[in-house]
Each structure stands twice: as structure tokens, then as C-alpha cells.
């Protein structure tokens, strides 16, 4: 079968021929219906090198995956061949306390995982191929009625990651609150939708691009602002009493956006760093508003994925997608690098 594989660090992926996978005991092979092209894949291609993570190429890209059950290994129950499914991307050990709760992202026994701290498309073969081997059936989530694989694939990361970030701050997003979304790209535009679907907060979106701000308005942002020197003052002026945003979600994560987020936050608010832009934020007693909680997040849990898929099936959260064939995948990543992709690019093998 054809597969888009990263063969070495600091290189572009190549479309090559590989053997079709066969499931072992407890495993599932998925016929891939769609695989999302994620901006984080660009870091794998261009920024990572040996030792950066506890795994290395070669492997097939694609950590946002959905399709249909193709083959079941011995002992697998609860799934049927031909059933539409999504794949939960992070693959932990399955036995530690976190994995028992479906929080494989924070597996505490990485040595017992199929690949330490990774998953399909992150150290092991992912879904940018005709078939995908999933090492444990618990990572396969049936799709709810009304949601097809092309719609579901980006929800497994571009939906799940912002959903987890928003969900953990639900208590700070009642009526009268303000949420600030910084960066309206592949994840940020879904974050706007999730905020509107699950909270009563007023949503402000900030970006450097007019087309990104238009996308934010299309998906429900109450106010959109251009990033720049006046952005913090404009954000505070748009909140009651100039108090700032109760929850800030930074989907970029560079120095400038982190400074903006901290300066825009309300006391006792949340600043959640979702983007992996590599920025830093100095924190001292007087450098951020009092009792602002600053945290990073990584992906989300399997139970949260079930909730995201439900929102997708009900039409409450629908990423903006453009589909491409597997032959176009290398060029898609080049366009993603150039900032020419609105929303999410989805590869359909």
C-alpha cells in the first residue's frame, strides 16, 4: 500500500510503498477514510532531531485519523468490520492510573507504551496510508450517527485539543465572562466553536490575518481584533470594567502571544498555552495578574473525544476542512508551512 512516511529528521516526507498491516491479538486495522494534516507535523519534519523525543523515524505521518474497521485481531469484541470509527491518537501503556481513566496523553508508564509519549503518526505508523494498525482496540471509538470519517478525523486532535483546554476552564466561563482566543488557525477556529457550544462566555478572537479573523466571525466570535501594539488595550476595553479575559487560550505560543495573553488576563483567570511556538513567559510575583493560573496542555482524553464526536455529530462543532488526495500530501504540508491553508487540510487516501 502507499504511505506518506517521514524517513529522517529535518526532511520532507516521501510517498512510498509499504506492506499492508495485519492485526495481532487485541489489535485493529482501520481502512483510513481521512487523516488530518496538522501544523505540529511541520515541527517533526523541520525542527526535531535525534534525542528531542524518545522515538525516531521512519514512520508514517498522520495522527488525526478516522475510517472503517477493516480487520480485527483475536480477542477483540465490540467492533464490527465495516463500522465507521475514529482513532484516539495518543497510545499509552493501558495499565497505569492515567491510562485506566483514558488519559493516555499523560501515561505514567511510558516504557510500557507502544511508543513512549507518542502514538500513530508520532513514532509509530499513522493514518496517511490506505490502512492503519491500531495496537489496542480501546483506542478505536465508534462514530455517532451523522458523522462521517472526513468530518471526524480533524476532531481527534484539532477538536479534542481545544476541547480539553476549554473544558478544564468551564468553571471560569459563566454568563458575563470573557474568553480570549489567540490564533484562529487549524485549532483556534475550532476553539471558538467549542466555546460558543459549551459555555456562555463572550468570545474575543485575535489574529494577524484578516482571513483568520473572518473565519472566527463565521464560527461565532463576538469580537475580532488584529494582533498588534494596541491589542491588549482593545481586549481590556471590550471586557466589563476593563478587567480582562477570564480565560485566555493561546493557540500560537510565541513570546509575543504569551505576553499578550498574560497582559490581557483577569485576576484569578486562566492562561492556557496550547500552541507549541516555543515562546517563553517570565513569571514572577508582579509579572502577571494575581492568581492567574498558567498551564500547558497536550491533546485530550478518550472520554473527551467521545464528547467532541457527539458535538460534531450534532453540528455544533465542525472544523473548516479542505480535502486532498494522498498524492497531494507533500504539497499540502508545503502550503501549511506557507500559511496558505484555512482551517484544516484533510488527506483522503
Amino acid at each position: 500500500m502507499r504511505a506518506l512516511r517521514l524517513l529522517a529528521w529535518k526532511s520532507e516526507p516521501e510517498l512510498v510503498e509499504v506492506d499492508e498491516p495485519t492485526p495481532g491479538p487485541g489489535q485493529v486495522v482501520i481502512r483510513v477514510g481521512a487523516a488530518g494534516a496538522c501544523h505540529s507535523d511541520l515541527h517533526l519534519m523541520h525542527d526535531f532531531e535525534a534525542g528531542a523525543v524518545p522515538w525516531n523515524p521512519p514512520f508514517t505521518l498522520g495522527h488525526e485519523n478516522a475510517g472503517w474497521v477493516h480487520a480485527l485481531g483475536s480477542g477483540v469484541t465490540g467492533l464490527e468490520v465495516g463500522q465507521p470509527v475514529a482513532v484516539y491518537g495518543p497510545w499509552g501503556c493501558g495499565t497505569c492510573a492515567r491510562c485506566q481513566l483514558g488519559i493516555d496523553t499523560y501515561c505514567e508508564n511510558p516504557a510500557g507504551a507502544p511508543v513512549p509519549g507518542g502514538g500513530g503518526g508520532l513514532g509509530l505508523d499513522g493514518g496517511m496510508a490506505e490502512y492503519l494498525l491500531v495496537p489496542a482496540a480501546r483506542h478505536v471509538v465508534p462514530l455517532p450517527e451523522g458523522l462521517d470519517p472526513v468530518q471526524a478525523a480533524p476532531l481527534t486532535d484539532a477538536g479534542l485539543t481545544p476541547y480539553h483546554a476549554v473544558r478544564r476552564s468551564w468553571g471560569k466561563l459563566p454568563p458575563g465572562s470573557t474568553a480570549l482566543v489567540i490564533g484562529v488557525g487549524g485549532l483556534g477556529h475550532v476553539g471558538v466553536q467549542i466555546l460558543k457550544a459549551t459555555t456562555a462566555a463572550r468570545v474575543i478572537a485575535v489574529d494577524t490575518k484578516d482571513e483568520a479573523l473572518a473565519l472566527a466571525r463565521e464560527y461565532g466570535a463576538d469580537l475580532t481584533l488584529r494582533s498588534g501594539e494596541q491589542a491588549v488595550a482593545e481586549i481590556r476595553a471590550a471586557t466589563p470594567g476593563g478587567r480582562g479575559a477570564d480565560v485566555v487560550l493561546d493557540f500560537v505560543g510565541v513570546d509575543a502571544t504569551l505576553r499578550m495573553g498574560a497582559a490581557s488576563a483577569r485576576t484569578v483567570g486562566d492562561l492556557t498555552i496550547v500552541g507549541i511556538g516555543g515562546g517563553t513567559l517570565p513569571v514572577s510575583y508582579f509579572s502577571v495578574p494575581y492568581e492567574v493560573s498558567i498551564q500547558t496542555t497536550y491533546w485530550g482524553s478518550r472520554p473527551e473525544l467521545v464528547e467532541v464526536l457527539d458535538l460534531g455529530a450534532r453540528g455544533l462543532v465542525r472544523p473548516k476542512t479542505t480535502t486532498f488526495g494522498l498524492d497531494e500530501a507533500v504539497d499540502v504540508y508545503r502550503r501549511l508551512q506557507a500559511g496558505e491553508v484555512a482551517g484544516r487540510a484533510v488527506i483522503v487516501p
Side-chain angles (χ1 to χ4, degrees), residues 52-79:
V53 289
W55 33 267
N56 290 292
F59 54 86
T60 301
L61 291 171
H63 56 266
E64 290 185 337
N65 305 303
W68 302 269
V69 174
H70 178 70
L72 301 171
S74 61
V76 175
T77 60
L79 295 170

Side-chain angles (χ1 to χ4, degrees), residues 52 61 90 109 124 174 225 231 235 258 280 305:
L61 291 171
N109 177 31
L124 289 180
L225 299 170
I235 291 164
L258 293 175
T280 58
L305 176 57

